[in-house]
Amino acid sequence: MKRFVKFLSLALCAAVVLSLPALAAEEDAPLISPAPKVESLAPVRVWGKVTKMESGSLLLQTDDETALHREVVVHLPEGVPCVDAVTGQPMDMSKVKDGDTLYAWVRNAMTMSLPPQTSALIVVGNVPADYKVPEFYKITGADKTVMPAIYPAPERTEVNLPVAGGETLTIPVSAQFTPWLTRQIVTVDDLVPGSQILVWKDKDGKVEKVLLLPYAYRGYYTVNDKGEVTVNGEKLEVNAKLSGPGLLPLRAVAEAVNYDVTWVSGQGATVKEGDKEIFSVLPGAGTAKRPGVEDGDWELFAPCVTEEGITYLAAGDLGLLLNLYFYNA
């Protein structure tokens, strides 16, 4: 994959892990410390009366002068959740008529056309008059609740979760939690970094109901200023290397999310899920090989490194290759 194609993804993933070195002439530059916290942008809410287009996309138009976009074309990717605002159940989009009002949360990136075009992350409809529309959030970190230092520890009553846009969302443990399109039992403990949720609040803004959407990642990870790596809440025995671009131990991270890692002659470190090879990389290589994937050569942000029998990849590369969500601890 060409570097310019994945530049933005790598920048978002790697930059939040480790800061770039200051411009300096010294050869013995100090170790790089983890970057200051970088809050991701919140999804954009658009709404209005709908006009269904032949392409299957939706034109939303509103007269609300407070709206950021009073006219926007919203594309519906396959599998995008379309939710009934009252029941939280799937909404039959074939029954949506021109003139109906829909709400959608969309990606920040929009085309420069008029009207602008973008893709929906979620669509909400069947909203009664004067009904409080549920809100869409992406969780960007772990619970910030501070528990009193007493024993026995008091029972937790709420969690405080950072969400995209820099806010903190307080969710009572007693809220109703439901999954999207499954019968799986979910609780507040399933609201992990990278989760996307639709939230219903009462008139005072207290969360009453949470709809947990399918998780888009294999897992989540973070790195602290000591180089300690945590994957899915568990600290690894092998630390990251904080010098240069910031390097994560390939085997330790991959095995923490249930991939198999072996060393194959001529291929180097090879990551598999069952019989399926995800990628392989050789020490010193500038690309990772992804068999069966179109444009399968993944150009690395930094070359693969092996030291004392441990193979390392740049944090941004490994996170993207393994489909992991990075968050600031």
Side-chain angles (χ1 to χ4, degrees):
M1 179 176 288
K2 302 300 182 183
R3 189 176 302 278
F4 72 88
V5 174
K6 65 168 186 168
F7 175 77
L8 289 178
S9 294
L10 276 173
L12 291 172
C13 192
V16 292
V17 182
L18 303 169
S19 60
L20 296 175
L23 295 176
E26 295 85 348
E27 293 182 0
D28 56 344
L31 294 180
I32 300 171
S33 300
K37 292 185 178 181
V38 180
E39 301 291 351
S40 60
L41 296 174
V44 176
R45 187 180 79 162
V46 296
W47 68 93
K49 294 187 182 302
V50 65
T51 300
K52 300 176 78 172
M53 306 176 71
E54 290 184 4
S55 64
S57 299
L58 307 173
L59 172 63
L60 298 183
Q61 297 172 298
T62 179
D63 293 329
D64 189 338
E65 296 183 355
T66 66
L68 180 62
H69 299 283
R70 296 176 64 178
E71 187 175 68
V72 60
V73 174
V74 177
H75 303 297
L76 302 180
E78 183 178 358
V80 64
C82 299
V83 187
D84 185 294
V86 177
T87 66
Q89 296 298 310
M91 179 177 59
D92 187 348
M93 292 297 292
S94 67
K95 295 183 179 179
V96 173
K97 306 182 298 296
D98 286 356
D100 288 349
T101 297
L102 291 178
Y103 292 75
W105 281 259
V106 301
R107 304 183 186 281
N108 297 93
M110 295 190 181
T111 67
M112 298 296 291
S113 60
L114 292 176
Q117 302 181 40
T118 186
S119 294
L121 298 169
I122 190 170
V123 176
V124 175
N126 295 337
V127 183
D130 300 323
Y131 186 81
K132 189 172 179 61
V133 181
E135 301 173 35
F136 177 71
Y137 296 96
K138 182 168 185 174
I139 298 171
T140 58
D143 181 17
K144 300 295 184 181
T145 302
V146 177
M147 298 295 290
I150 60 177
Y151 183 83
E155 186 175 352
R156 179 177 56 170
T157 60
E158 63 184 27
V159 295
N160 294 287
L161 298 169
V163 295
E167 299 179 17
T168 297
L169 181 65
T170 298
I171 302 179
V173 173
S174 59
Q176 178 186 347
F177 298 91
T178 56
W180 177 248
L181 298 183
T182 76
R183 299 193 178 191
Q184 177 185 356
I185 296 175
V186 294
T187 70
V188 69
D189 294 324
D190 293 295
L191 306 184
V192 299
S195 296
Q196 297 184 108
I197 56 177
L198 192 65
V199 171
W200 284 256
K201 299 178 181 179
D202 64 18
K203 61 181 180 180
D204 297 318
K206 181 179 179 180
V207 174
E208 294 183 313
K209 178 180 174 181
V210 177
L211 177 65
L212 179 61
L213 300 173
Y215 196 60
Y217 303 94
R218 180 82 176 200
Y220 52 95
Y221 73 104
T222 193
V223 184
N224 66 19
D225 57 3
K226 298 178 182 179
E228 295 172 335
V229 184
T230 300
V231 179
N232 290 349
E234 300 291 332
K235 188 170 83 68
L236 303 184
E237 294 183 359
V238 184
N239 284 3
K241 295 176 67 64
L242 297 183
S243 57
L247 302 170
L248 296 184
L250 187 156
R251 178 185 293 273
V253 173
E255 290 183 344
V257 289
N258 300 317
Y259 286 111
D260 297 316
V261 183
T262 57
W263 187 269
V264 178
S265 178
Q267 290 187 203
T270 302
V271 179
K272 288 186 174 183
E273 183 177 22
D275 294 331
K276 179 183 178 182
E277 183 175 322
I278 306 302
F279 73 92
S280 64
V281 62
L282 284 163
T287 58
K289 304 295 184 179
R290 300 183 299 164
V293 177
E294 185 178 356
D295 197 14
D297 283 357
W298 177 278
E299 188 175 355
L300 297 172
F301 182 73
C304 175
V305 173
T306 298
E307 290 187 6
E308 299 180 354
I310 299 175
T311 301
Y312 296 89
L313 276 183
D317 282 318
L318 190 57
L320 291 168
L321 286 166
L322 297 179
N323 188 30
L324 302 179
Y325 180 82
F326 172 82
Y327 72 100
N328 283 304

